[in-house]
Amino acid sequence: MTDPSRLLDPEALGDHLDRLYRAAWALCGRREDAEDLVQETYARVLAKPRRLRGDDDLRYLLSVLRNTFVSRHRTAARRPQTVPVPEDRELADRRTATRPDAAAEAHEVFAYIAALPDDFRDALVAVDVAGLSYAEAALLLGTKEATITSRLHRARARVARGMDPDREGVL
Amino acid sequence: MSDGTGMNPPEPPPERDSRDDEAAERGRAMIAAAVAQTRAPLTLRERIAADAAGRDRPGRPARRRRFAWPAGALATALAAVAIAFVLASGGGGPTAVAVAQAAQAGPTHGAPPVDSSHQDLLARAVDGVPFPDWSGHFSWRASGERSDTIEGRTTRTVFYSGPSGAHAAYTIVSGNALGVPAGARARTVHGVELHVARGGAGQVVTWERNGHTCVMTAPASVPTSRLLELAAWDGGGTVPY
């Protein structure tokens, strides 16, 4: 019987870097933390050969990213917190953003997602930020697709209201 | 649901709050916009590649050389790129894709030295047009070189490797400039007009320096914006254009 599993190709990991970086940013809320988180995730994955089934490299990488985030979060919670300097906002992804105002908005959106309750945040990160399907997100988060759908709807609404609170009064 | 008596109308489903739906849709659009404008920064790519390179240790089973010049793969990709360049002619001499394909054979010699008397230049030139030294500004280092003669033109290629393991082949063609590739996309970066063609896993950039055609070839995994930035970099005036 043939083994349907295959080794994860380290050379192909770069294909997922943008998605992982966005997911990490939305988890951490800070660009600098996101870079560290992605680097640590890749370091873990590359530490030894990984055998996967199917072609779900991204879901596997996201699961490692999330586990790494949770682990770091627990550790960080036991340390004094550093306060980001105001200049951080000016540095937001300036090498890839095409408009400074857009970069600032992305910064705010990711920071807002990071501040959501964990279940809402994780659903948004999996589907809207990383691009998984509802089914893949359900597998990743160990829940039902219907739950993902519900959490997404409520989380998106929270983001909109948090980012643009004045608009609620217009309706 | 009916109560079974047939007397009462079925209970209507709970009314969905249209404000929730509208807010959810706005939130989805906001997130989509943030996602669309965000890419991993080059510094992160470089950090990860440096980590990966550090994992190759003597005594371990040899991994595939991460940044070995992928002659076969890129040559295949260049066949697709050639579609964009196939109409290139008019200046006499080889086409840009022929130049790029010759470079895919990989380096025949080690890295050329830095020009000790000129910052930001290598001690290699074609018809007086020197190759840049990107190590100081971009951390891209020359890793090898080769020379060819294509349709009577001498070409010299310097191979560069970036800190993230990305690599590129930079060729300067002797003699007059080749024709402008008709099928390529024109871009202007820092006042330098460049032509870009992508196909499959490869990409080719051409431009002129002092009347000579330069051709840069790289895998598609290297951001085109980075290639253009490298190609157009004049070192504050030390790299002649």
Side-chain angles (χ1 to χ4, degrees):
Chain A
M1 207 166 103
T2 54
D3 181 0
S5 66
R6 63 179 174 80
L7 280 175
L8 179 69
D9 180 7
E11 307 291 327
L13 293 181
D15 298 343
H16 304 293
L17 185 56
D18 285 334
R19 288 184 179 195
L20 283 184
Y21 173 65
R22 294 175 196 127
W25 195 350
L27 284 172
C28 301
R30 276 171 40 90
R31 183 178 56 86
E32 295 80 1
D33 293 342
E35 290 189 27
D36 290 346
L37 176 58
V38 173
Q39 185 177 14
E40 188 174 340
T41 299
Y42 272 76
R44 287 189 180 193
V45 171
L46 291 170
K48 59 183 180 182
R50 306 286 176 173
R51 191 164 284 281
L52 302 183
R53 290 176 182 274
D55 55 356
D56 53 357
D57 291 14
L58 177 60
R59 184 161 61 85
Y60 170 73
L61 290 170
L62 282 170
S63 70
V64 178
L65 180 86
R66 185 164 170 266
N67 291 339
T68 306
F69 168 73
V70 171
S71 169
R72 285 167 59 102
H73 192 69
R74 286 181 184 142
T75 305
R78 295 194 288 267
R79 284 199 304 259
Q81 299 297 302
T82 55
V83 178
V85 294
E87 286 76 12
D88 281 356
R89 294 177 69 84
E90 298 302 317
L91 293 171
D93 205 26
R94 64 184 177 190
R95 289 210 271 178
T96 52
T98 53
R99 293 164 35 224
D101 57 327
E105 190 168 312
H107 196 279
E108 290 171 10
V109 169
F110 289 134
Y112 202 88
I113 293 172
L116 290 172
D118 290 359
D119 287 347
F120 289 179
R121 178 201 64 206
D122 289 350
L124 272 189
V125 168
V127 176
D128 284 355
V129 178
L132 293 186
S133 67
Y134 285 32
E136 289 170 329
L139 274 175
L140 173 71
L141 301 175
T143 189
K144 297 175 182 173
E145 281 189 55
T147 306
I148 294 292
T149 304
S150 168
R151 287 176 184 170
L152 272 177
H153 188 268
R154 294 163 67 188
R156 287 167 176 166
R158 283 196 183 208
V159 169
R161 288 176 172 137
M163 295 287 297
D164 192 8
D166 294 340
R167 183 156 177 169
E168 290 304 302
V170 175
L171 296 171
Chain B
M1 295 218 8
S2 168
D3 63 1
T5 64
M7 301 293 289
N8 298 322
E11 185 180 340
E15 193 173 326
R16 257 188 113 160
D17 187 338
S18 62
R19 288 178 303 178
D20 281 347
D21 289 345
E22 192 273 343
E25 178 52 30
R26 270 194 298 128
R28 189 202 58 75
M30 285 177 176
I31 296 163
V35 165
Q37 67 193 236
T38 304
R39 295 183 58 197
L42 292 171
T43 49
L44 176 59
R45 296 176 192 278
E46 291 162 0
R47 285 163 59 181
I48 290 171
D51 278 358
R55 289 178 193 283
D56 292 332
R57 297 277 188 278
R60 284 188 176 184
R63 282 182 59 201
R64 175 155 55 107
R65 279 185 63 202
R66 189 175 179 82
F67 308 119
W69 197 248
L74 201 49
T76 303
L78 284 171
V81 176
I83 294 169
F85 278 90
V86 72
L87 298 176
S89 62
T95 62
V97 77
V99 172
Q101 284 174 330
Q104 299 318 300
T108 54
H109 296 78
V114 173
D115 186 336
S116 56
S117 58
H118 293 89
Q119 191 182 7
D120 299 326
L121 295 179
L122 298 177
R124 289 291 183 274
V126 173
D127 295 349
V129 179
F131 285 89
D133 173 23
W134 293 328
S135 61
H137 194 76
F138 296 103
S139 297
W140 280 62
R141 298 182 184 284
S143 57
E145 65 177 322
R146 68 174 293 116
S147 187
D148 297 282
T149 300
I150 310 169
E151 297 185 31
R153 299 286 194 97
T154 300
T155 66
R156 185 180 288 275
T157 301
V158 171
F159 299 84
Y160 294 86
S161 296
S164 65
H167 52 268
Y170 186 135
T171 304
I172 302 176
V173 184
S174 68
N176 295 333
L178 307 180
V180 172
R185 195 159 41 96
R187 298 280 300 272
T188 301
V189 178
H190 303 315
V192 179
E193 185 177 347
L194 306 111
H195 296 88
V196 186
R198 293 174 63 94
Q203 52 188 325
V204 177
V205 179
T206 72
W207 72 105
E208 287 186 25
R209 288 178 54 201
N210 282 353
H212 290 69
T213 292
C214 301
V215 179
M216 185 137 63
T217 314
S221 56
V222 181
T224 303
S225 58
R226 188 51 141 184
L227 286 184
L228 297 176
E229 195 179 352
L230 290 167
W233 183 69
D234 71 353
T238 57
V239 181
Y241 272 81

